[in-house]
Amino acid sequence: EVQLVESGGGLVQAGGSLRLSCAASGFTFDDYAIGWFRQAPGKEREGVSCINGKDGSTYYSDSVKGRFTISSDNAKNTVYLQMNSLKPEDTAVYYCAADPGTYYSGSYYLHYGMEYWGKGTLVTVSS
């Protein structure tokens, strides 16, 4: 059974940093694409970043490019999202997601979503 558990959310001031973690189980990283998505109150879900488990390639949405970094530790079955220079508009529930296979582009995954989802962790950025 695929399980994804996010942690690391919290309250931070604008300009600060947070690192989210996604502990995964039930699958092999090499065979999956893993991503981070977010949903702010009253807004649609937005794809933030994803990583291809097979070749390690990464993709970012324009809204976070240059500020967020996705990485994975395959030995620990954990994916991280390092978030720097946070802005109030980054406030949202952040979800980790995973999709079997690594065939599609990063933009595809961020647009259409993935098959398996965690329950999310709340990030609040104060101004």
Side-chain angles (χ1 to χ4, degrees):
E1 178 186 6
V2 172
Q3 290 191 332
L4 302 163
V5 180
E6 304 93 336
S7 62
L11 174 64
V12 63
Q13 287 189 332
S17 298
L18 279 176
R19 188 177 80 157
L20 305 183
S21 299
C22 172
S25 61
F27 64 97
T28 303
F29 266 32
D30 288 355
D31 299 329
Y32 275 67
I34 303 172
W36 287 96
F37 297 77
R38 67 186 182 186
Q39 187 163 22
K43 294 190 176 181
E44 292 188 355
R45 185 188 70 201
E46 175 190 11
V48 173
S49 180
C50 62
I51 185 166
N52 183 312
K54 191 174 185 68
D55 63 14
S57 59
T58 58
Y59 186 86
Y60 299 92
S61 66
D62 288 342
S63 60
V64 306
K65 197 174 297 181
R67 299 188 298 123
F68 290 11
T69 303
I70 190 171
S71 62
S72 67
D73 184 335
N74 288 19
K76 295 183 178 180
N77 277 10
T78 301
V79 174
Y80 304 98
L81 185 68
Q82 177 66 43
M83 307 186 296
N84 298 330
S85 302
L86 283 162
K87 306 175 182 179
E89 51 263 43
D90 293 318
T91 294
V93 177
Y94 283 71
Y95 298 91
C96 177
D99 202 82
T102 55
Y103 311 117
Y104 300 111
S105 67
S107 59
Y108 176 94
Y109 285 120
L110 295 194
H111 180 75
Y112 290 105
M114 295 183 171
E115 183 167 346
Y116 300 101
W117 295 84
K119 294 184 178 181
T121 185
L122 176 63
V123 172
T124 303
V125 184
S126 63
S127 57

